Amino acid sequence: VRAAMASWARAVRGLLLDVSGVLYDSGADGGVPIAGSAEAVRRIKASGLKLRLCTNETQATRENFVRKLQGMGFEVSVAEVTAPAPAACHILRERGLRPHLLVHHDLVPEFAGIDQTNPNCVVLGDAAENFTYANLNEAFRVLIGMEKPVLLSLGRGRYYKETDGLKLDVGAYMKALEYACDVEAEVVGKPSKRFFESALAEMGVPPEQAIMIGDDIVNDVGGAQKCGMRALQVRTGKYRPSDENHPDVKPDAYVNNLAEAVDIILKQL
């Protein structure tokens, strides 16, 4: 019965994992790993499946982010992380854009090689404590002063879970600027198709042979399914029981946590 139930687990060559809420819950103290997740990552690697961490995490450079994960016992490298800031830098260079940054101060080094004089766009990330009225207003003034405002957002999440509760995410501030400036933001991270496609390309795996595992029903699960991938929702992180009645997005399966998903997938190999 188990094998028939897990038809979604067949013919997999690559796994894409959301990080916050799947591997660990972030927090002021650095956060805590979710039980069984470090071992699950080790098992994925040992199985020979390709692995990609697909994160909208924009509070740290990839180097510092990976160092933090390694400190929690996760065997991962910078080369396995697909994150929005490097993707945004690529777009900025490609289009000759000079950003006004409203991002977390720890993310600023990712933009070191980018000309930021006389800005002709705004780049928005999860700035956390940097989301003051003054800083939002400054970003608003840059945008409203442009004939054709350009707003790049490193994600569109509504909220995420930290050890002390739920926190507003970048999407809420993105919507505020969209509304004030009558502009539509271009989302660089999840759920943008281009973001998932670049993660798949880096793995060398076609979408129908990949599974995305996340705690965000819209950005992780919905975004991945729109790219032709299977997607699972974990009941960890910011998962809430109401997600299971989402009007638009139906995951290929619900799993209690990453460890359970990996168990089922490895049995099918």
Side-chain angles (χ1 to χ4, degrees), residues 138-216:
E138 200 184 344
F140 158 74
R141 285 176 168 173
V142 170
L143 283 172
I144 205 80
M146 294 175 199
E147 201 177 317
K148 288 202 174 128
V150 176
L151 173 60
L152 296 180
S153 186
L154 305 180
R156 52 172 300 166
R158 293 173 178 177
Y159 53 86
Y160 53 92
K161 180 160 184 252
E162 290 208 329
T163 46
D164 63 347
L166 299 175
K167 299 282 164 90
L168 270 180
D169 201 355
V170 62
Y173 301 94
M174 176 191 95
K175 286 292 182 191
L177 290 173
E178 282 187 334
Y179 178 62
C181 303
D182 198 19
V183 60
E184 195 176 329
E186 298 173 47
V187 178
V188 181
K190 295 177 296 190
S192 110
K193 200 162 181 186
R194 186 170 169 177
F195 187 76
F196 284 114
E197 283 168 352
S198 68
L200 287 166
E202 286 158 7
M203 296 164 86
V205 171
E208 60 278 6
Q209 295 183 350
I211 294 180
M212 171 77 200
I213 303 174
D215 70 330
D216 186 318

Side-chain angles (χ1 to χ4, degrees), residues 39-265:
E39 177 58 24
V41 168
R42 269 195 294 279
R43 293 182 65 203
I44 292 167
K45 295 243 175 134
S47 74
L49 287 173
K50 296 275 180 65
L51 174 67
R52 205 85 205 149
L53 303 185
C54 277
T55 180
N56 274 2
E57 166 75 44
T58 54
Q59 288 193 12
T61 60
R62 276 176 306 164
E63 283 72 19
N64 286 346
F65 178 57
V66 164
R67 204 169 295 133
K68 179 170 87 172
L69 287 173
Q70 288 169 343
M72 291 184 193
F74 292 100
E75 295 168 15
V76 293
S77 66
V78 173
E80 291 168 318
V81 176
T82 304
C89 289
H90 182 73
I91 291 169
L92 294 168
R93 287 196 187 95
E94 211 173 55
R95 287 161 53 181
L97 293 170
R98 300 179 305 278
H100 169 87
L101 299 176
L102 177 45
V103 300
H104 198 282
H105 54 80
D106 291 341
L107 190 72
V108 171
E110 289 269 19
F111 296 89
I114 303 279
D115 181 4
Q116 295 167 38
T117 54
N118 188 20
N120 57 4
C121 75
V122 167
V123 171
L124 191 64
D126 178 15
E129 310 302 322
N130 273 354
F131 277 136
T132 61
Y133 175 76
N135 287 349
L136 268 171
N137 201 50
E138 200 184 344
F140 158 74
R141 285 176 168 173
V142 170
L143 283 172
I144 205 80
M146 294 175 199
E147 201 177 317
K148 288 202 174 128
V150 176
L151 173 60
L152 296 180
S153 186
L154 305 180
R156 52 172 300 166
R158 293 173 178 177
Y159 53 86
Y160 53 92
K161 180 160 184 252
E162 290 208 329
T163 46
D164 63 347
L166 299 175
K167 299 282 164 90
L168 270 180
D169 201 355
V170 62
Y173 301 94
M174 176 191 95
K175 286 292 182 191
L177 290 173
E178 282 187 334
Y179 178 62
C181 303
D182 198 19
V183 60
E184 195 176 329
E186 298 173 47
V187 178
V188 181
K190 295 177 296 190
S192 110
K193 200 162 181 186
R194 186 170 169 177
F195 187 76
F196 284 114
E197 283 168 352
S198 68
L200 287 166
E202 286 158 7
M203 296 164 86
V205 171
E208 60 278 6
Q209 295 183 350
I211 294 180
M212 171 77 200
I213 303 174
D215 70 330
D216 186 318
I217 184 86
V218 174
N219 294 313
D220 294 333
V221 175
Q225 287 176 334
K226 282 194 176 121
C227 291
M229 279 186 261
R230 287 161 277 175
L232 312 183
Q233 189 177 22
V234 288
R235 296 188 177 103
T236 56
K238 65 173 174 188
Y239 160 84
R240 299 194 303 176
S242 60
D243 292 345
E244 304 207 16
N245 305 313
H246 196 279
D248 307 316
V249 184
K250 300 276 173 263
D252 290 83
Y254 293 94
V255 287
N256 288 321
N257 47 43
L258 177 62
E260 185 185 314
V262 169
D263 246 5
I264 296 169
I265 290 164

